Amino acid sequence: MLSSTTNSATLDWTRADERAVDTARVLAADAVEKVGNGHPGTAMSLAPAAYLLFHKLMRHDPRDPDWLGRDRFILSPGHSSLTLYIQLFLSGYGLELDDLKALRTWDSLTPGHPEYKHTAGVEITTGPLGQGLASSVGFAYSQRRMRGLFDADAAEGTSPFDHTIWVIASDGDIQEGVTSEASSLAGHQELGNLVVVYDENHISIEDDTDISFTEDVLKRYEAYGWHTQRVDWTETGEYVEDVQELYSALLAAKAETSKPSIISLRTIIGYPAPKKQNTGKIHGSALGADEVAGLKEVLGFDPAKSFEVDQDVLAHARAVVDRGAAARSEWDSSFEAWQQANPEGAALLERIEAKKLPAGIDAVLPVFESGKDVSTRAASGKVLNALGPVLPELWGGSADLAESNNTTIEGSASFIPVSRSTDAWKGNPYGRVLHFGIREHAAASIVNGISLHGRTRAFSGTFLIFSDYQRPAIRLSALMGVPSIYVWSHDSIGLGEDGPTHQPVEQLSTLRAIVGLDVVRPGDANEVGIAWKTMLENHENPAGIVLTRQNVPTFARGNGAAQGDTFASPAGVAKGGYVLAEASKDGATVPADVLLIATGSEVQLAVQAREALQAEGIAARVVSMPCVEWFNKQDAAYRESVLPAAVKARVSVEAGLALGWREFVGDAGRSISLEHYGASADYKRLFQEFGITAEAVAAAAKDSLAAARN
Amino acid sequence: MLSSTTNSATLDWTRADERAVDTARVLAADAVEKVGNGHPGTAMSLAPAAYLLFHKLMRHDPRDPDWLGRDRFILSPGHSSLTLYIQLFLSGYGLELDDLKALRTWDSLTPGHPEYKHTAGVEITTGPLGQGLASSVGFAYSQRRMRGLFDADAAEGTSPFDHTIWVIASDGDIQEGVTSEASSLAGHQELGNLVVVYDENHISIEDDTDISFTEDVLKRYEAYGWHTQRVDWTETGEYVEDVQELYSALLAAKAETSKPSIISLRTIIGYPAPKKQNTGKIHGSALGADEVAGLKEVLGFDPAKSFEVDQDVLAHARAVVDRGAAARSEWDSSFEAWQQANPEGAALLERIEAKKLPAGIDAVLPVFESGKDVSTRAASGKVLNALGPVLPELWGGSADLAESNNTTIEGSASFIPVSRSTDAWKGNPYGRVLHFGIREHAAASIVNGISLHGRTRAFSGTFLIFSDYQRPAIRLSALMGVPSIYVWSHDSIGLGEDGPTHQPVEQLSTLRAIVGLDVVRPGDANEVGIAWKTMLENHENPAGIVLTRQNVPTFARGNGAAQGDTFASPAGVAKGGYVLAEASKDGATVPADVLLIATGSEVQLAVQAREALQAEGIAARVVSMPCVEWFNKQDAAYRESVLPAAVKARVSVEAGLALGWREFVGDAGRSISLEHYGASADYKRLFQEFGITAEAVAAAAKDSLAAARN
């Protein structure tokens, strides 16, 4: 562990800076007091650290929160949103006093936790502890990858793509398992662009953290390979906010470019509130009028006034706007120089910043011949490898299941330091293939970070069952509306012998339940290509592609809509659901007696059942429904054309819970589904034993026809 | 770190032991070869370690796998199930060669991953990595708690309640975040009864773990406060399986009773397979006939034979049965002595082993007066505190939200070393109040371990939204059928200002989707008591109680079924759903025109809507449905009596997704629900803005009536 005095650059710190920090504390107390609830404590004691970052260290331009070259700031303890809001106010991001006064109220710019896409300057939605810190590792991945993609040869610190990821983390963030996973990867990756200030205030909701948290955090981070420093403002026995000491540590952390840095900053939560500092209460409750008044007295503010901001102090703080503009202008020159020297890179950057795919992407999508059985995971691997050369922005990998998930873009280096190369994988810090280890949750959080930081498109792979490990990160991607991509293979009892611990049952239903997540389960190899393309065309929300382990038939198809006995082209995948095979009689399309709605590996069962029913004179239409969310976005006319309201006899077919299908099949409908856990055996046996067969689909169709007649 | 030579007790290790170990390796290769898939590598290289544990260290009685006094063995890498199955075979647990031959096939005792309640000797279902190791911490908690409950004053090592928890963990287990959380707690708790062998074989599915996992694991565990040892069988440059060295380390680990122990055992996966050892391939694929033959040649087995077991070797190994019987007999004496000396404790133990609640438990349940608004979380806290004195087996706590979740049984010490006491909490190693820190996932895994180890009833608390962090552990509790209890407060947008990151939307639906989990959402304070009692009466599967942050009305009720305008007693909660308020006219029960089905805080909306509808001449029945799973278990007649099939006009009311309610309301039904994320504001405003109101319920009822008429 380095001493915190290795860097002795002198901080320019005046009375106006001090006053700005104290203003931040008073505003935090006032804002919580006004609404009557919230988290004042950390915003008060961390005000010096946050102010240091925003006013003395970060490269940012409050006039352009989306500036490509900006440093990023991540507040992992989102409950302390005031820490961020007040700096956005003091830095001139557009938040004003009225916004602070509207804290935690309907429709304000200052909700309880910071929300991405809602308040300018908020880089990521935080609140569920651990996610901010874990995703910050993804921000750092993205910075390095983009640097490699666009300016690999520039000397360190000279590229317009060089910048720093600054993070504030709390005791809670450090305790969460997802940050352990991500921090281990950050050390492994030698992320010299990542600086974490760990606010070790020793207080959480159950008061003194000694009841549950006594590990040696910095030693743990050393074990991960991080650069560690300790800044203890209590070390003298008095509480002394030595901002110079913290500043020096931050500079040293930034200067350490061979590994990520963590600074343990020992603070007293709620300082300098006279009575409630250093208590669990000040973490998450309003201080009360007396204590707010006491705080103001301590700091030399008028206890009778609320939201008092000295205009000179504000002007002093907002000088950061001019400094930001100057930095921006300097960066603009270097960026223009880069553009001129790198026209190809500049064109690529322009395309991905515009959220566009290259022209002619359809031409590279592989076409799979019918008649040959292919697992959809294998098809996905082929699609990825076809897209790889034309989409340099596409990268990703797996949580130790690369070969099972088929997530490797071949011929690319792994995104790891060269020294981490193994016999099986060649490393390069600017590589393209990600290896998350057996850390599914961090994989998802890191991909969120990548998707928030820039416009590259990253994916993580694991088995569908382990999406359960990723749910907090998946939900955040959906809530934020960032286009993280999940590759989930081994999508049902079809994985066979690994048995019930590995066989998804409820996962399809429960993932579809996440508002804003697209769950895409293609029915054959040719659906996979359109699925990937459609996911990549969308930049506004996350998607997961759900793939079989086992082979499934590749259907023989025509070039357009289904007609008679000719199956539709896979183009309908982009609409979420489409008529794959028409109800037909003697080769001609006829009105459907019954609709068979299926996804993934069960589409083949619907197809077989259609034929069996047809042989009995029952006209059955097969609807492939790879993505319910996309289908529901289509206009009513299209949806009616696929699922005519008049046809009440309907069967859904999916090797998972029926949950969610009732909306499609209605009271007269039937669902072929799995309502219990799986078992360990050959998958064909399992489908048979559990009654997920073409025969069962046909029987259910007749049952539904009978019900619909009543 | 201690040297591994601190304990020099000489291991009794003969040629027969060696032969038994080699037999284990060959059986592992044969079993996977026969079925054609599976995980042979670790079962081969870890055979010496597993054999050492089962035959030289563990106190166990293969004739009684449920012996209270047994040591526990947890195989965290469940994919290496053969490691366990073969020791169960060699130890005489009832598994025979035919079972090994049936590996990973339908209905066998040897599924792909070990399954609790399925195969004798399997203490826990493992497979999803991290869960076994994390739950082992719960086993260790339970051992200590039961020791404290029944035999607190006995000298160390003299109590029949003293035993050791032995764990094998893999690289994957060590990488998972949930084990980081649990391991930090284990160190904090100074769990001297926990010994982990970490199989550091440096190979996972993506081959050499250097691509993603280069942290210093033992240093990390030192930082957690663990006793660490390294046994490196590669240290000489040759691979030497020094079983004495491992044995000494295991003895030293067991002897260290002031902290948990981890031994990093460097092995070569798949040793001594001639070509495939030390590769990713041998982790999870059959070796192939040539390699199996090569292995047999190396070990002096006949390459032409499969499943070859020398009967003398088997007899030698199964001598553990006699040793186990002797140990058992010794223990029986000490247990009887304890019973005689502790009649009260013995009676308590007998009761909880019989899975019975004490008589008269109804008498202690608090009765909440009507007319006063109480949050269901506050009611839950009162119920817990009423039950505490009569149910010593009940214990638990929160993931740093004790006061918010109302999970503290007052007047009890915290389950932590005395030295971890804080101003707010008094610690005792035998205490009752759990503090998980901000580690929701470990909390759930630890409670699973407690529930697997003994028959105490443990609960963990957090906000409902953070059940997402716990899903892998929740699912395992349901799959295993263990009665873990989850307390989830802050159950909807009703939590208000903390906003969308904290407001559950899909969680009720997605938790109900976990097969075997009971999700219980009481509608008022008096429902809470019955809910708790019903959960505690059940010992066969997990349950979660879902509680409001905000106050809700306590309904005025009669003593029996609903009648006219008299509300039902809360007894119906035990049936999952019941008629809370009858459809009535002029005070008399009348047939319902419409059914209003509601849960939790939305029951009040249904109650208000009933009155409004009644005023318009529409007879509405209110069904409170606190637990769909319990309701679905009732017979058809009861269900029909609550939800008459003839009444098609139905409305569900729940401040979450409608997903799952369609089954109850049908095509003509309507759902008052929340189909998008929440927002940060006062909760009353949110219910209003999002249209979850009594007016909306009444309007939906009329809409449904119209639909039902068509």
Side-chain angles (χ1 to χ4, degrees), chain A residues 427-454:
Chain A
N428 183 304
Y430 298 149
R432 184 176 200 176
V433 179
L434 289 167
H435 304 285
F436 297 105
I438 300 148
R439 306 184 185 95
E440 300 82 7
H441 198 174
S445 300
I446 287 171
V447 168
N448 283 352
I450 293 171
S451 307
L452 286 157
H453 174 272

mmCIF file of all heavy atoms in Angstrom, chain A residues 427-454:
data_model
loop_
_atom_site.group_PDB
_atom_site.id
_atom_site.type_symbol
_atom_site.label_atom_id
_atom_site.label_comp_id
_atom_site.label_asym_id
_atom_site.label_seq_id
_atom_site.Cartn_x
_atom_site.Cartn_y
_atom_site.Cartn_z
ATOM 1 N N GLY A 427 -3.977 -12.755 -25.533
ATOM 2 C CA GLY A 427 -4.459 -11.528 -24.935
ATOM 3 C C GLY A 427 -3.905 -10.266 -25.567
ATOM 4 O O GLY A 427 -2.784 -10.254 -26.073
ATOM 5 N N ASN A 428 -4.718 -9.219 -25.506
ATOM 6 C CA ASN A 428 -4.301 -7.882 -25.931
ATOM 7 C C ASN A 428 -5.195 -6.908 -25.173
ATOM 8 O O ASN A 428 -6.403 -7.109 -25.118
ATOM 9 C CB ASN A 428 -4.506 -7.730 -27.450
ATOM 10 C CG ASN A 428 -4.031 -6.380 -27.957
ATOM 11 O OD1 ASN A 428 -4.467 -5.333 -27.474
ATOM 12 N ND2 ASN A 428 -3.130 -6.403 -28.912
ATOM 13 N N PRO A 429 -4.624 -5.871 -24.582
ATOM 14 C CA PRO A 429 -5.463 -4.975 -23.792
ATOM 15 C C PRO A 429 -6.579 -4.332 -24.617
ATOM 16 O O PRO A 429 -7.573 -3.879 -24.066
ATOM 17 C CB PRO A 429 -4.486 -3.925 -23.269
ATOM 18 C CG PRO A 429 -3.256 -4.065 -24.093
ATOM 19 C CD PRO A 429 -3.204 -5.492 -24.554
ATOM 20 N N TYR A 430 -6.387 -4.292 -25.939
ATOM 21 C CA TYR A 430 -7.422 -3.732 -26.803
ATOM 22 C C TYR A 430 -8.236 -4.830 -27.499
ATOM 23 O O TYR A 430 -8.907 -4.575 -28.497
ATOM 24 C CB TYR A 430 -6.784 -2.824 -27.869
ATOM 25 C CG TYR A 430 -6.054 -1.621 -27.315
ATOM 26 C CD1 TYR A 430 -4.942 -1.101 -27.978
ATOM 27 C CD2 TYR A 430 -6.491 -0.986 -26.153
ATOM 28 C CE1 TYR A 430 -4.273 0.031 -27.492
ATOM 29 C CE2 TYR A 430 -5.822 0.129 -25.661
ATOM 30 C CZ TYR A 430 -4.714 0.632 -26.328
ATOM 31 O OH TYR A 430 -4.071 1.735 -25.863
ATOM 32 N N GLY A 431 -8.165 -6.035 -26.965
ATOM 33 C CA GLY A 431 -8.825 -7.169 -27.625
ATOM 34 C C GLY A 431 -10.336 -7.069 -27.618
ATOM 35 O O GLY A 431 -10.932 -6.099 -27.127
ATOM 36 N N ARG A 432 -10.947 -8.110 -28.160
ATOM 37 C CA ARG A 432 -12.384 -8.059 -28.450
ATOM 38 C C ARG A 432 -13.181 -9.131 -27.713
ATOM 39 O O ARG A 432 -14.385 -8.990 -27.527
ATOM 40 C CB ARG A 432 -12.531 -8.271 -29.952
ATOM 41 C CG ARG A 432 -13.927 -8.167 -30.459
ATOM 42 C CD ARG A 432 -13.910 -8.309 -31.975
ATOM 43 N NE ARG A 432 -15.111 -7.758 -32.550
ATOM 44 C CZ ARG A 432 -15.354 -7.671 -33.857
ATOM 45 N NH1 ARG A 432 -14.445 -8.093 -34.718
ATOM 46 N NH2 ARG A 432 -16.480 -7.167 -34.305
ATOM 47 N N VAL A 433 -12.493 -10.198 -27.336
ATOM 48 C CA VAL A 433 -13.201 -11.309 -26.699
ATOM 49 C C VAL A 433 -13.123 -11.151 -25.179
ATOM 50 O O VAL A 433 -12.033 -11.048 -24.610
ATOM 51 C CB VAL A 433 -12.580 -12.660 -27.120
ATOM 52 C CG1 VAL A 433 -13.310 -13.809 -26.430
ATOM 53 C CG2 VAL A 433 -12.611 -12.814 -28.636
ATOM 54 N N LEU A 434 -14.277 -11.121 -24.568
ATOM 55 C CA LEU A 434 -14.324 -10.924 -23.115
ATOM 56 C C LEU A 434 -14.368 -12.267 -22.383
ATOM 57 O O LEU A 434 -15.018 -13.210 -22.843
ATOM 58 C CB LEU A 434 -15.546 -10.084 -22.748
ATOM 59 C CG LEU A 434 -15.444 -8.610 -23.162
ATOM 60 C CD1 LEU A 434 -16.804 -7.908 -23.062
ATOM 61 C CD2 LEU A 434 -14.419 -7.878 -22.299
ATOM 62 N N HIS A 435 -13.687 -12.310 -21.264
ATOM 63 C CA HIS A 435 -13.720 -13.491 -20.392
ATOM 64 C C HIS A 435 -14.097 -13.012 -18.995
ATOM 65 O O HIS A 435 -13.308 -12.334 -18.342
ATOM 66 C CB HIS A 435 -12.352 -14.165 -20.340
ATOM 67 C CG HIS A 435 -11.810 -14.555 -21.674
ATOM 68 N ND1 HIS A 435 -12.279 -15.627 -22.380
ATOM 69 C CD2 HIS A 435 -10.843 -13.987 -22.442
ATOM 70 C CE1 HIS A 435 -11.620 -15.727 -23.532
ATOM 71 N NE2 HIS A 435 -10.748 -14.738 -23.599
ATOM 72 N N PHE A 436 -15.294 -13.358 -18.572
ATOM 73 C CA PHE A 436 -15.752 -12.860 -17.280
ATOM 74 C C PHE A 436 -15.419 -13.797 -16.131
ATOM 75 O O PHE A 436 -15.638 -13.455 -14.966
ATOM 76 C CB PHE A 436 -17.266 -12.612 -17.326
ATOM 77 C CG PHE A 436 -17.676 -11.557 -18.312
ATOM 78 C CD1 PHE A 436 -18.267 -11.890 -19.516
ATOM 79 C CD2 PHE A 436 -17.435 -10.223 -18.037
ATOM 80 C CE1 PHE A 436 -18.633 -10.912 -20.429
ATOM 81 C CE2 PHE A 436 -17.798 -9.225 -18.946
ATOM 82 C CZ PHE A 436 -18.403 -9.579 -20.155
ATOM 83 N N GLY A 437 -14.900 -14.993 -16.437
ATOM 84 C CA GLY A 437 -14.789 -15.980 -15.378
ATOM 85 C C GLY A 437 -16.185 -16.384 -14.926
ATOM 86 O O GLY A 437 -17.187 -16.075 -15.601
ATOM 87 N N ILE A 438 -16.252 -17.062 -13.808
ATOM 88 C CA ILE A 438 -17.544 -17.581 -13.345
ATOM 89 C C ILE A 438 -18.189 -16.507 -12.478
ATOM 90 O O ILE A 438 -18.291 -16.588 -11.261
ATOM 91 C CB ILE A 438 -17.323 -18.932 -12.641
ATOM 92 C CG1 ILE A 438 -16.686 -19.894 -13.646
ATOM 93 C CG2 ILE A 438 -18.634 -19.505 -12.145
ATOM 94 C CD1 ILE A 438 -15.761 -20.901 -13.051
ATOM 95 N N ARG A 439 -18.566 -15.429 -13.163
ATOM 96 C CA ARG A 439 -19.058 -14.220 -12.502
ATOM 97 C C ARG A 439 -20.156 -13.634 -13.382
ATOM 98 O O ARG A 439 -19.974 -12.626 -14.057
ATOM 99 C CB ARG A 439 -17.917 -13.214 -12.361
ATOM 100 C CG ARG A 439 -16.643 -13.719 -11.672
ATOM 101 C CD ARG A 439 -15.652 -12.582 -11.518
ATOM 102 N NE ARG A 439 -14.377 -12.991 -10.977
ATOM 103 C CZ ARG A 439 -13.302 -13.305 -11.696
ATOM 104 N NH1 ARG A 439 -13.361 -13.282 -13.021
ATOM 105 N NH2 ARG A 439 -12.177 -13.645 -11.102
ATOM 106 N N GLU A 440 -21.309 -14.277 -13.350
ATOM 107 C CA GLU A 440 -22.403 -13.897 -14.242
ATOM 108 C C GLU A 440 -22.945 -12.504 -13.913
ATOM 109 O O GLU A 440 -23.319 -11.741 -14.804
ATOM 110 C CB GLU A 440 -23.541 -14.920 -14.144
ATOM 111 C CG GLU A 440 -23.154 -16.345 -14.525
ATOM 112 C CD GLU A 440 -22.479 -17.112 -13.406
ATOM 113 O OE1 GLU A 440 -22.414 -16.584 -12.263
ATOM 114 O OE2 GLU A 440 -21.997 -18.230 -13.646
ATOM 115 N N HIS A 441 -23.003 -12.225 -12.622
ATOM 116 C CA HIS A 441 -23.589 -10.938 -12.225
ATOM 117 C C HIS A 441 -22.691 -9.778 -12.684
ATOM 118 O O HIS A 441 -23.163 -8.817 -13.306
ATOM 119 C CB HIS A 441 -23.791 -10.926 -10.710
ATOM 120 C CG HIS A 441 -24.751 -9.864 -10.240
ATOM 121 N ND1 HIS A 441 -25.168 -9.767 -8.941
ATOM 122 C CD2 HIS A 441 -25.373 -8.853 -10.893
ATOM 123 C CE1 HIS A 441 -25.991 -8.744 -8.814
ATOM 124 N NE2 HIS A 441 -26.136 -8.177 -9.976
ATOM 125 N N ALA A 442 -21.399 -9.897 -12.401
ATOM 126 C CA ALA A 442 -20.484 -8.837 -12.842
ATOM 127 C C ALA A 442 -20.484 -8.729 -14.356
ATOM 128 O O ALA A 442 -20.387 -7.623 -14.907
ATOM 129 C CB ALA A 442 -19.073 -9.102 -12.329
ATOM 130 N N ALA A 443 -20.604 -9.851 -15.039
ATOM 131 C CA ALA A 443 -20.640 -9.816 -16.508
ATOM 132 C C ALA A 443 -21.743 -8.863 -16.977
ATOM 133 O O ALA A 443 -21.530 -8.011 -17.846
ATOM 134 C CB ALA A 443 -20.863 -11.214 -17.073
ATOM 135 N N ALA A 444 -22.920 -9.019 -16.376
ATOM 136 C CA ALA A 444 -24.047 -8.174 -16.784
ATOM 137 C C ALA A 444 -23.828 -6.721 -16.375
ATOM 138 O O ALA A 444 -24.108 -5.796 -17.140
ATOM 139 C CB ALA A 444 -25.339 -8.706 -16.170
ATOM 140 N N SER A 445 -23.314 -6.505 -15.173
ATOM 141 C CA SER A 445 -23.075 -5.129 -14.725
ATOM 142 C C SER A 445 -22.000 -4.459 -15.574
ATOM 143 O O SER A 445 -22.086 -3.262 -15.873
ATOM 144 C CB SER A 445 -22.629 -5.125 -13.258
ATOM 145 O OG SER A 445 -23.611 -5.701 -12.430
ATOM 146 N N ILE A 446 -20.994 -5.212 -15.942
ATOM 147 C CA ILE A 446 -19.909 -4.658 -16.759
ATOM 148 C C ILE A 446 -20.421 -4.304 -18.151
ATOM 149 O O ILE A 446 -20.110 -3.235 -18.688
ATOM 150 C CB ILE A 446 -18.718 -5.648 -16.801
ATOM 151 C CG1 ILE A 446 -17.991 -5.638 -15.444
ATOM 152 C CG2 ILE A 446 -17.759 -5.311 -17.940
ATOM 153 C CD1 ILE A 446 -16.942 -6.728 -15.277
ATOM 154 N N VAL A 447 -21.228 -5.172 -18.723
ATOM 155 C CA VAL A 447 -21.786 -4.844 -20.042
ATOM 156 C C VAL A 447 -22.689 -3.614 -19.938
ATOM 157 O O VAL A 447 -22.687 -2.761 -20.837
ATOM 158 C CB VAL A 447 -22.513 -6.065 -20.653
ATOM 159 C CG1 VAL A 447 -23.332 -5.649 -21.876
ATOM 160 C CG2 VAL A 447 -21.496 -7.124 -21.048
ATOM 161 N N ASN A 448 -23.411 -3.475 -18.853
ATOM 162 C CA ASN A 448 -24.161 -2.222 -18.650
ATOM 163 C C ASN A 448 -23.209 -1.028 -18.671
ATOM 164 O O ASN A 448 -23.500 0.006 -19.287
ATOM 165 C CB ASN A 448 -24.898 -2.231 -17.309
ATOM 166 C CG ASN A 448 -26.154 -3.085 -17.328
ATOM 167 O OD1 ASN A 448 -26.573 -3.566 -18.377
ATOM 168 N ND2 ASN A 448 -26.746 -3.284 -16.161
ATOM 169 N N GLY A 449 -22.093 -1.147 -17.971
ATOM 170 C CA GLY A 449 -21.130 -0.048 -17.922
ATOM 171 C C GLY A 449 -20.590 0.285 -19.301
ATOM 172 O O GLY A 449 -20.475 1.462 -19.673
ATOM 173 N N ILE A 450 -20.299 -0.752 -20.063
ATOM 174 C CA ILE A 450 -19.813 -0.538 -21.432
ATOM 175 C C ILE A 450 -20.874 0.197 -22.246
ATOM 176 O O ILE A 450 -20.585 1.165 -22.956
ATOM 177 C CB ILE A 450 -19.471 -1.892 -22.094
ATOM 178 C CG1 ILE A 450 -18.263 -2.547 -21.400
ATOM 179 C CG2 ILE A 450 -19.211 -1.708 -23.586
ATOM 180 C CD1 ILE A 450 -17.987 -3.984 -21.834
ATOM 181 N N SER A 451 -22.122 -0.250 -22.100
ATOM 182 C CA SER A 451 -23.210 0.332 -22.896
ATOM 183 C C SER A 451 -23.511 1.769 -22.480
ATOM 184 O O SER A 451 -24.022 2.554 -23.279
ATOM 185 C CB SER A 451 -24.486 -0.507 -22.744
ATOM 186 O OG SER A 451 -24.217 -1.864 -23.039
ATOM 187 N N LEU A 452 -23.219 2.101 -21.239
ATOM 188 C CA LEU A 452 -23.432 3.469 -20.767
ATOM 189 C C LEU A 452 -22.293 4.385 -21.177
ATOM 190 O O LEU A 452 -22.500 5.572 -21.425
ATOM 191 C CB LEU A 452 -23.535 3.470 -19.230
ATOM 192 C CG LEU A 452 -24.833 2.934 -18.647
ATOM 193 C CD1 LEU A 452 -24.612 2.472 -17.209
ATOM 194 C CD2 LEU A 452 -25.924 3.992 -18.706
ATOM 195 N N HIS A 453 -21.095 3.824 -21.216
ATOM 196 C CA HIS A 453 -19.926 4.665 -21.460
ATOM 197 C C HIS A 453 -19.845 5.145 -22.898
ATOM 198 O O HIS A 453 -19.535 6.313 -23.156
ATOM 199 C CB HIS A 453 -18.648 3.900 -21.110
ATOM 200 C CG HIS A 453 -17.402 4.639 -21.474
ATOM 201 N ND1 HIS A 453 -16.822 4.540 -22.723
ATOM 202 C CD2 HIS A 453 -16.645 5.512 -20.774
ATOM 203 C CE1 HIS A 453 -15.744 5.317 -22.763
ATOM 204 N NE2 HIS A 453 -15.623 5.916 -21.601
ATOM 205 N N GLY A 454 -20.093 4.235 -23.831
ATOM 206 C CA GLY A 454 -19.943 4.616 -25.239
ATOM 207 C C GLY A 454 -20.974 3.911 -26.082
ATOM 208 O O GLY A 454 -21.962 3.404 -25.563
#
